[in-house]
Amino acid sequence: MKNSLGMLMQAYQQWSADLPADLTDNRERGVIEYESLRLNGMLVQMLSLYKLGVNQLPMRPAWMEVEDFLQAQLARHNEILGSRHITGSYEVEEDGQLAFFDAELVGSVVGNVINNSIRYARSAIHLKAWTEDEQLVLSISDDGQGYPPSMIEDQSDYVLGINMSTGSTGLGLYFGQRIAELHQRNGQQGHIQLLNGGPLNGGEFRIYLP
């Protein structure tokens, strides 16, 4: 399914590149690209969770310049952010900061959160990185209405639950938590956290990586 979706999107991009600008600069194109990227992200999550369940998910941590990592995450969403008139920005607390983590797995988590933030943001999304208690913290904030209070209060249960009123399966949060937990050092284990009132006064997702 993932390969088929990739081929479909590649053909779509080649086809749309040949069209006049007045036929491609429209809301429908943004919907197709956003939903395809979102669907691809969910397929990646399910495949990764399956591999994790059968102990076949490769863990390849390496030293990574955090600023380059955040730039790459935003670059993947440039077109969608632009089509929705959403400003994407990032901030690294320490210049030239390096961190040891699996960039592909963590990138899947961050990309999924950015996709969700695009849905709820009014006009801005902000990525930030800093060090806290010898852990790398990556956050994704938006200027939307924030997470529902019940989701903040019961976030540990929400990761494993299904919300029938919203249709949420909690897959993205469960995936993020499992990937965070794979990162361990000196008895510390990674985890995720949901907050409201972040830098943009909306919802904020954090992933802690020892």
Side-chain angles (χ1 to χ4, degrees):
M1 289 172 63
K2 183 179 181 300
N3 291 341
S4 294
L5 179 62
M7 293 179 63
L8 179 64
M9 285 309 300
Q10 184 178 10
Y12 164 77
Q13 289 168 357
Q14 292 175 347
W15 171 73
S16 61
D18 295 333
L19 293 176
D22 60 335
L23 294 180
T24 59
D25 187 16
N26 54 51
R27 179 181 177 277
E28 287 74 17
R29 179 182 180 183
V31 171
I32 292 172
E33 293 177 349
Y34 172 77
E35 295 298 341
S36 297
L37 187 61
R38 183 165 171 259
L39 179 58
N40 183 75
M42 287 188 287
L43 290 171
V44 168
Q45 290 172 20
M46 289 190 289
L47 178 59
S48 298
L49 288 171
Y50 169 75
K51 289 183 176 180
L52 186 60
V54 296
N55 296 318
Q56 292 182 356
L57 182 65
M59 178 77 169
R60 301 188 182 97
W63 287 103
M64 168 71 59
E65 186 161 340
V66 178
E67 183 172 3
D68 289 347
F69 175 77
L70 296 185
Q71 282 182 336
Q73 303 312 308
L74 281 179
R76 292 177 184 174
H77 298 81
N78 271 344
E79 291 189 9
I80 296 175
L81 289 170
S83 68
R84 298 200 172 202
H85 306 291
I86 297 174
T87 300
S89 61
Y90 73 90
E91 174 186 358
V92 179
E93 197 170 77
E94 178 184 335
D95 290 338
Q97 182 178 7
L98 295 174
F100 192 72
F101 62 96
D102 189 311
E104 184 174 348
L105 293 179
V106 176
S108 294
V109 176
V110 173
N112 173 64
V113 177
I114 292 176
N115 285 341
N116 288 335
S117 295
I118 288 172
R119 176 186 292 183
Y120 298 108
R122 295 187 178 94
S123 62
I125 289 174
H126 184 66
L127 278 59
K128 184 177 180 181
W130 70 95
T131 301
E132 183 177 312
D133 296 330
E134 299 185 349
Q135 297 185 85
L136 172 68
V137 185
L138 302 175
S139 77
I140 302 94
S141 308
D142 61 62
D143 61 350
Q145 295 182 347
Y147 295 104
S150 60
M151 194 171 176
I152 297 292
E153 295 168 6
D154 304 320
Q155 55 187 280
S156 60
D157 295 332
Y158 200 93
V159 167
L160 298 173
I162 297 177
N163 189 320
M164 299 305 293
S165 63
T166 63
S168 173
T169 62
L171 175 65
L173 295 179
Y174 178 67
F175 176 73
Q177 180 66 22
R178 292 301 304 272
I179 296 305
E181 290 173 350
L182 290 177
H183 293 77
Q184 303 179 28
R185 184 174 65 88
N186 297 334
Q188 283 188 315
Q189 191 175 52
H191 66 279
I192 64 172
Q193 184 180 19
L194 306 179
L195 306 98
N196 280 332
L200 299 179
N201 294 318
E204 180 182 11
F205 174 97
R206 293 182 181 181
I207 182 169
Y208 292 75
L209 303 171

